[in-house]
Amino acid sequence: MKSQKGKNIPDYAEYIAAGILGKHGSAWSTPPITLWPAGETAAMSDELIPDSGLRRLTVAADAMVIAIDGETQTTAWHDIYQDPEAFGLTYTELGRGVRIPFELYLGISPADARQIFYDP
């Protein structure tokens, strides 16, 4: 990545590594990634908590899911997994649960999903 986003990858990887190491506290998570599943979902549950909008969603294993935004974060994750020791981590630490929130756009075209993200 040769854009400004590409220049942010090392700092982003350091931020993620620090979070995994507990340096950001227990409520730490990464910023959200915006996703759009290109097709039907396999299943969607009723609301897990009434009036919350929270649901369990199953996407078929062969479904295409497009990351509308998240290139910097995804690349930083790859850098960490390729050489965790460079970030003071082990593969065991990487196996711990990390919160990665996401926005998920269902039932709209890819162009509309992209526009939603890029609108001010």
Side-chain angles (χ1 to χ4, degrees):
M1 293 176 60
K2 296 185 180 189
S3 66
Q4 180 58 44
K5 284 186 173 189
K7 293 176 186 173
N8 293 336
I9 293 168
D11 289 339
Y12 210 143
E14 289 291 338
Y15 170 79
I16 292 170
I20 293 169
L21 292 168
K23 295 179 181 179
H24 298 310
S26 62
W28 171 80
S29 75
T30 64
I33 295 176
T34 304
L35 303 172
W36 175 77
E40 296 296 318
T41 58
M44 186 180 306
S45 73
D46 291 332
E47 284 187 308
L48 300 173
I49 301 170
D51 300 320
S52 69
L54 296 173
R55 299 171 186 270
R56 182 171 290 123
L57 177 72
T58 304
V59 178
D62 62 346
M64 182 187 314
V65 177
I66 299 166
I68 299 170
D69 181 49
E71 299 93 349
T72 306
Q73 184 174 163
T74 302
T75 304
W77 276 109
H78 283 282
D79 287 357
I80 292 169
Y81 270 90
Q82 287 174 359
D83 188 9
E85 293 83 16
F87 297 92
L89 294 166
T90 65
Y91 283 109
T92 300
E93 289 168 317
L94 289 176
R96 294 183 190 151
V98 174
R99 294 180 186 129
I100 303 177
F102 61 90
E103 295 176 329
L104 185 63
Y105 292 97
L106 300 172
I108 59 175
S109 73
D112 288 344
R114 284 185 181 93
Q115 190 58 49
I116 289 167
F117 177 75
Y118 290 111
D119 278 347

